[in-house]
Amino acid sequence: MRVTLDDVSPVTSLNDVPPGTRVPMLRGRAREEAVLVRLLDGARSGSGGALLLSGAPGVGKTALLDLAAALAGPAFLVLRVSGVEPESRLPYAGLHGLLRPVAAAASALPEAQARALTQALESGSGGGGLALPAAVLGLLAAVAADRPVLACVDDVDRLDRESREALAFAARRVPGEPVVLLFAARDGGPDGVPARALGGLDEAAVRELAGDLATVRLPEDLLAALDQIARGNPQALGELIGALTPDQLAGLAAPPATLPRGGRLWREHAARLAALPADARRLVLLIAADPGLDVATLIEAARPACALATLEPAERAGILHSAGDRYDFREPAMRAVAYFDASLSERRRAHRRLAHLLDAAQATGRPDADGRTDTDGAADAGGRGGAERGDSGRLRRAWHRAWALDGPPERLADELAAAAVEARPHGGHPEPYLALERAAELTRHDRVKAERLAAAARHAWTAGRPQVARSLLAGLRTLTSPDPTDPTAPDELRGHVQLLHGSLELLGGETGSAREELLSAAAGLIGSHRMLGVRALVRAADASYRAGDNRAFIAIARQAAALRRPDEAVPAQLMFEYLDGMASTFSGLHQEAAGPLRRVVELAGSVRDPAVLVWACVASMLLGEDATAHRLSARAVEAARVRGAASALPQLLEYTIYSEFWMGRYASVATTAAEGLRLAQETGQLNTAAQHLAWLAITAAVEGDQETCRVRADAATDLADAHDLGIAGAIGNWALAYLDLAAGRPADAANRLRAERRNSSHVVIRVMATPHFIEACARTGDHEQAAAALRVLERWVGSTRSPDLRALVARCRALLAAPGEAEESFREAIELHGQGVCEFETARTQLLYGSTLRRERRPGAARTHLHTALETFERYGARLWTEQARTELRASGEPVRATGAPATRQLTAQQLQIARMVAEGATNKEVAEQLFLSRRTVEHHLRNIFSRLGIRSRVELVRLMS
């Protein structure tokens, strides 16, 4: 039986593995495991096959061979051999290692084959022709007459040529025999054998593997930093985790930047590099020292030799590959090995050579590796002029001079720091924070060293490397004079450090300490760096906003108003107006807030800074201008991406979600929150992660997925409690109340929102949840509290121009109207919905209107609205609201037939989605990753799916779903 990868589903069965057999757990290799199981099952039934596993060192090839041997168990005869370099020139050494345990069975072969095989195994001479390869196949088949054979050949590319050819012949013919031949190779392998190239593990598998390997739970940002090096390579990840220091685990030291020196992968990469000719190694070192090096510069570096010819051995060895007009390492981790395994003098010579080459290119006007000259002033495709590209070139030249130590250290440090400050983050080489850190290393004066370390920390944070930023800030405390965190330190330096400390704490720590740190920063910066001082004030107010501390926010706004000047720059004007408008909003003065908030939106047209644009987005939402808010948030996100401001993205996506929610774009809310959660975890922003989790709970409530909603809301609430995040806790509680309302539990919803309004002062979320609170109260007879909440909602909505918000107010009035008097308000609500964009809330209004008409014994009129609502709910996949609409239609006298296949009709929307994904071949890990659930939750869903459908296996699920 010839097995191709297309024939195999990722459904594995271990039923044939004897009890007590230890089967290794491999993460992220379910599809490969399925291939192995299918091959072994085929061999048991008399028709096996062959498979080649290829991939980089450490990617898991040997582990899969081990897995195959474990799955085979004692029912198979397992033969194994590994290719080793010293034996690669000994003919038939590989066959000798593999077949020696069964060589005695050669006597059963035809005489010519037996003789050829015996000579090959005993003397290394097999002669030409068909006899020897046929003997290898015949021997495997003869041995398999008693029990199936599994032959595993690791590092087949290191076997001697003669053994490779004989085994390839057998592999192409084992279909039809109870034999499985498995090969593993870094590059290449037997021709004509089905192959599976192993890539890196996906994010979910990396997370699970880290959980297996680490003795403590690794923070998501640390794990992301490790995987930047490992790139999903299991062995690399294991070596990195094993080498972590206590300070790195605690976030006090920067994470590793390379594989552990002396580790197995490092040694293997170093050995491959050492095998290259000396000239090739010199050019490879240049490429390692400057990832942006182009072929033209390499040609200059190699003269009088030809660079392309010199690098051919590195290409043939699989070390380099050409990527456009550059060379790159096939395995990214090898770059650091190529650099750091060279001696210090070799590295200095490389940097000196690179600096000379880049200087020469600049002097002659030849384009640098970015494809621009320093004098090229034309704008590039991204709209940035040649000046920025020139800054990048100056930074590269200064970087190489600083590492070559070509001049007095202080002068080199000044030059490098100046170039780093002028360059914008661009994802190139070197990153500004690395350049500033190197400049600090070369600086003797403690005050200047501290300033450069602080600047490096700021750039590292902006680039989304919080662990590096914290490590650099920790390094500031070790300076002998002065300590920038000490009260006697210069105000300006202390202010910069406190601003960064407070920003880190704001998005990843406790909001109260973040507010105090940011207020201190503002006091130190407002005189010397006014824009940074104002920004620190706004961030301190943001800390109060996240905590739900409205009084602190208003106090900060008053403090800011006293500092305001008539000649402020536009970004500062915008921030002052924002604080003024928000303070009025939190005071319930919505009409007074409208003026400053509208000025914020007007000023946004002249602002490019994404961190400032976000406040205009908030102002637009409070004005009820959701489309404008969405447009501004999209501008802010794009500006942050262009600037390389990775740390800003998770928070900016929060504000994208607000506008998407008000517009009823729940699928977009889920997508945005999922991306925001991933980025927040990778950059250590637990506070922002809490909000994204809470919004994911909201989308689960809309879909009617009760379990997922609770899991996400509980996770968000846990983070909120630990970090004093009133806003995340309020959203999580709102999600649970929304779920109660959708599930027909209005009393539970009312009680939950009533308690939230009592215990939390987070005005924005309270107002957003008010329509649900009024509905829950109206349905439970608490008209007094509902009316009081409606009056507050009316004051805010009256200051906006939003038809969607006005429609919600009209709907709430209808719910509180006396019997027989609601129709006018419902009609007004539906007319206003028609002018807005929120289709889902329109359906909610139609459901409530239809229900009211049915109770007033007007079933015909009710059915019109209920049908429209039902169609919308079904299109949104809102299971619980769909059931409410169907129930109302049935109560109105119209039978309703459920849509979908009868077998799956009883599944929830989430369960149906999981069932479809599993039926299409997804593993539990893949489902969990795509739906942002835990594996335990997916397993729980699957048990419920099997129970409801009356099935017991994935195979039955596949049949049922198809």
Side-chain angles (χ1 to χ4, degrees):
M1 177 183 70
R2 179 174 294 276
V3 178
T4 65
L5 298 180
D6 292 336
D7 295 331
V8 181
S9 85
V11 180
T12 63
S13 172
L14 303 182
N15 295 334
D16 295 319
V17 178
T21 301
R22 187 176 183 277
V23 178
M25 170 69 75
L26 295 188
R27 299 297 189 180
R29 298 300 185 202
R31 294 184 181 276
E32 288 78 10
E33 185 175 342
V35 174
L36 298 179
V37 168
R38 186 68 66 87
L39 282 168
L40 294 172
D41 285 346
R44 286 189 185 96
S45 61
S47 183
L51 178 68
L52 167 66
L53 299 167
S54 64
V59 79
K61 304 182 297 294
T62 301
L64 283 166
L65 297 186
D66 293 341
L67 176 65
L71 291 171
F76 275 73
L77 172 63
V78 180
L79 305 173
R80 299 194 69 163
V81 70
S82 294
V84 290
E85 198 64 41
E87 296 183 4
S88 63
R89 285 177 286 279
L90 294 176
Y92 303 112
L95 283 182
H96 182 272
L98 182 70
L99 301 180
R100 188 166 59 90
V102 294
S107 59
L109 299 175
E111 182 180 351
Q113 293 182 16
R115 184 170 57 251
L117 183 59
T118 301
Q119 289 177 352
L121 297 183
E122 292 183 356
S123 64
S125 60
L130 189 62
L132 178 61
V136 173
L137 177 62
L139 179 64
L140 292 172
V143 174
D146 295 328
R147 53 176 171 160
V149 172
L150 169 64
C152 299
V153 184
D154 206 353
D155 290 323
V156 66
D157 46 337
R158 296 185 183 182
L159 247 57
D160 59 277
R161 178 180 57 81
E162 294 81 1
S163 294
R164 288 200 310 269
E165 291 176 353
L167 288 171
F169 176 92
R172 291 190 289 269
R173 288 163 176 78
V174 291
E177 304 288 348
V179 177
V180 174
L181 261 171
L182 296 180
F183 302 100
R186 181 193 301 148
D187 298 302
D191 292 334
V193 176
R196 176 82 175 184
L198 299 181
L201 302 180
D202 61 22
E203 289 182 17
V206 165
R207 192 173 293 113
E208 290 174 343
L209 180 59
D212 297 338
L213 297 173
T215 56
V216 298
R217 180 180 174 85
L218 297 182
E220 289 287 341
D221 53 345
L222 176 57
L223 180 56
L226 298 183
D227 199 40
Q228 280 290 313
I229 303 167
R231 304 293 180 94
N233 186 298
Q235 186 177 337
L237 186 65
E239 291 185 359
L240 286 162
I241 290 174
L244 289 173
T245 67
D247 281 349
Q248 287 172 328
L249 286 168
L252 301 175
T258 69
L259 291 170
R261 299 196 67 172
R264 180 180 165 189
L265 275 180
W266 185 287
R267 294 196 308 272
E268 182 156 352
H269 290 329
R272 293 173 65 189
L273 289 161
L276 295 176
D279 288 346
R281 288 202 306 273
R282 279 194 290 272
L283 290 187
V284 168
L285 178 56
L286 294 181
I287 296 168
D290 192 329
L293 204 60
D294 60 0
V295 171
T297 307
L298 276 172
I299 290 173
E300 289 294 323
R303 291 186 188 281
C306 172
L308 304 184
T310 301
L311 288 172
E312 277 183 7
E315 290 191 271
R316 286 197 303 270
I319 293 171
L320 295 178
H321 68 101
S322 58
D325 67 340
R326 294 172 176 80
Y327 282 97
D328 203 357
F329 289 87
R330 283 193 179 275
E331 297 157 36
M334 189 177 277
R335 180 183 300 281
V337 181
Y339 183 80
F340 288 106
D341 220 47
S343 68
L344 179 60
S345 62
E346 287 173 327
R347 296 200 299 269
R348 285 189 61 188
R349 281 197 298 271
H351 284 294
R352 186 177 295 114
R353 181 69 170 142
L354 287 165
H356 173 75
L357 291 167
L358 293 172
D359 282 339
Q362 189 268 340
T364 60
R366 183 168 61 80
D368 63 11
D370 288 321
R372 296 269 180 185
T373 69
D374 278 357
T375 56
D376 190 348
D380 64 15
R384 293 174 292 173
E388 181 179 337
R389 295 293 185 135
D391 291 342
S392 172
R394 283 192 289 278
L395 178 56
R396 289 173 68 207
R397 295 194 297 275
W399 171 262
H400 291 303
R401 281 194 287 270
W403 281 104
L405 292 176
D406 272 351
E410 289 291 336
R411 180 174 63 78
L412 294 173
D414 292 344
E415 178 185 312
L416 182 57
V421 170
E422 291 172 3
R424 294 183 184 179
H426 55 84
H429 175 79
E431 293 191 63
Y433 79 85
L434 289 172
L436 286 161
E437 184 180 12
R438 176 58 177 166
E441 290 171 358
L442 296 174
T443 302
R444 294 181 181 176
H445 191 277
D446 280 351
R447 167 73 185 280
V448 179
K449 182 189 287 286
E451 290 173 347
R452 287 170 178 169
L453 279 176
R458 186 172 65 254
H459 279 280
W461 165 244
T462 300
R465 300 182 182 272
Q467 317 96 324
V468 175
R470 292 189 189 97
S471 174
L472 291 166
L473 288 176
L476 284 167
R477 300 180 186 274
T478 66
L479 297 178
T480 56
S481 173
D483 181 348
T485 61
D486 188 275
T488 62
D491 285 349
E492 180 181 332
L493 176 57
R494 191 170 67 250
H496 282 293
V497 173
Q498 289 175 324
L499 175 57
L500 184 52
H501 265 303
S503 299
L504 285 164
E505 191 74 3
L506 174 61
L507 299 180
E510 200 272 325
T511 53
S513 61
R515 179 176 63 241
E516 297 309 313
E517 191 90 22
L518 290 164
L519 287 173
S520 296
L525 292 170
I526 200 72
S528 57
H529 288 74
R530 186 166 182 80
M531 190 63 67
L532 287 179
V534 176
R535 184 170 304 202
L537 278 174
V538 177
R539 287 186 183 173
D542 186 33
S544 304
Y545 169 80
R546 289 171 180 272
D549 189 343
N550 298 332
R551 291 182 180 178
F553 191 107
I554 293 168
I556 292 170
R558 288 173 179 164
Q559 178 183 344
L563 296 170
R564 190 170 183 178
R565 297 173 181 170
D567 59 343
E568 300 286 1
V570 170
Q573 289 183 48
L574 186 152
M575 288 187 280
F576 279 119
E577 295 285 3
Y578 166 78
L579 291 173
D580 185 12
M582 290 294 288
S584 296
T585 297
F586 291 152
S587 301
L589 305 173
H590 299 293
Q591 293 295 337
E592 293 182 19
L597 293 176
R598 191 156 300 285
R599 284 191 290 277
V600 168
V601 178
E602 292 167 356
L603 290 166
S606 304
V607 172
R608 292 185 175 84
D609 187 342
V612 177
L613 277 174
V614 72
W615 309 128
C617 173
V618 176
S620 297
M621 286 187 295
L622 291 174
L623 291 169
E625 298 174 2
D626 303 314
T628 301
H630 194 266
R631 186 167 59 252
L632 286 168
S633 67
R635 261 186 67 197
V637 168
E638 181 59 26
R641 293 191 197 278
V642 169
R643 294 178 177 213
S647 64
L649 284 172
Q651 186 183 12
L652 296 175
L653 291 173
E654 289 178 22
Y655 297 101
T656 301
I657 288 171
Y658 281 98
S659 55
E660 287 175 340
F661 180 84
W662 276 122
M663 291 189 288
R665 300 178 182 177
Y666 301 125
S668 295
V669 170
T671 301
T672 304
E675 181 187 5
L677 176 61
R678 177 180 61 81
L679 293 174
Q681 290 173 332
E682 289 178 358
T683 54
Q685 300 184 38
L686 295 180
N687 296 352
T688 306
Q691 276 210 59
H692 288 300
L693 275 169
W695 283 113
L696 286 169
I698 288 279
T699 61
V702 171
E703 293 170 357
D705 185 346
Q706 302 192 57
E707 183 167 0
T708 301
C709 176
R710 293 191 186 100
V711 167
R712 290 170 173 169
D714 288 346
T717 302
D718 288 344
L719 281 171
D721 291 343
H723 295 256
D724 190 21
L725 298 169
I727 184 170
I731 299 172
N733 189 71
W734 176 24
L736 294 172
Y738 192 113
L739 183 65
D740 287 333
L741 201 59
R745 301 187 293 266
D748 291 344
N751 289 335
R752 197 181 294 276
L753 290 173
R754 192 179 291 115
E756 180 68 32
R757 298 168 81 84
R758 233 182 359 253
N759 301 326
S760 170
S761 55
H762 208 286
V763 173
V764 173
I765 303 305
R766 184 196 303 173
V767 171
M768 292 181 77
T770 293
H772 298 114
F773 177 63
I774 292 172
E775 181 178 344
C777 288
R779 289 169 65 177
T780 55
D782 187 356
H783 284 230
E784 183 178 347
Q785 285 207 45
L790 177 57
R791 287 192 291 273
V792 175
L793 183 65
E794 286 174 328
R795 283 201 299 272
W796 172 49
V797 172
S799 68
T800 75
R801 305 168 186 170
S802 168
D804 287 307
L805 293 176
R806 285 154 50 209
L808 292 180
V809 168
R811 183 175 83 192
C812 291
R813 289 194 191 112
L815 291 172
L816 297 179
E821 298 179 6
E823 184 166 7
E824 182 179 348
S825 293
F826 271 126
R827 287 184 177 277
E828 179 187 358
I830 289 174
E831 182 180 348
L832 287 167
H833 277 308
Q835 302 169 29
V837 297
C838 190
E839 188 180 19
F840 191 85
E841 285 304 320
T842 304
R844 293 259 293 109
T845 299
Q846 289 171 318
L847 172 61
L848 290 166
Y849 186 20
S851 176
T852 299
L853 291 171
R854 179 191 62 76
R855 290 195 303 273
E856 292 176 352
R857 299 186 179 182
R858 298 168 61 188
R863 286 195 287 268
T864 301
H865 297 288
L866 294 173
H867 271 299
T868 305
L870 176 60
E871 290 171 5
T872 301
F873 294 145
E874 287 180 335
R875 192 165 63 254
Y876 276 78
R879 173 183 171 270
L880 295 178
W881 293 116
T882 298
E883 287 304 315
Q884 284 201 31
R886 286 177 181 158
T887 299
E888 287 293 337
L889 275 169
R890 282 191 289 269
S892 72
E894 180 169 322
V896 182
R897 188 165 62 89
T899 59
T904 59
R905 182 179 300 159
Q906 55 194 309
L907 299 181
T908 69
Q910 183 81 84
Q911 288 171 342
L912 183 59
Q913 187 176 14
I914 291 172
R916 285 172 176 160
M917 292 174 70
V918 170
E920 290 169 0
T923 65
N924 289 5
K925 290 175 286 193
E926 291 167 338
V927 173
E929 175 67 16
Q930 292 184 44
L931 299 183
F932 287 87
L933 302 172
S934 68
R935 281 190 66 190
R936 183 174 298 176
T937 300
V938 172
E939 289 163 1
H940 177 81
H941 275 310
L942 273 177
R943 286 195 295 271
N944 288 338
I945 290 167
F946 285 8
S947 175
R948 291 189 180 194
L949 299 182
I951 59 177
R952 299 197 304 178
S953 71
R954 289 172 178 247
V955 174
E956 291 182 76
L957 180 62
V958 171
R959 293 184 187 134
L960 189 66
M961 296 299 291
S962 62

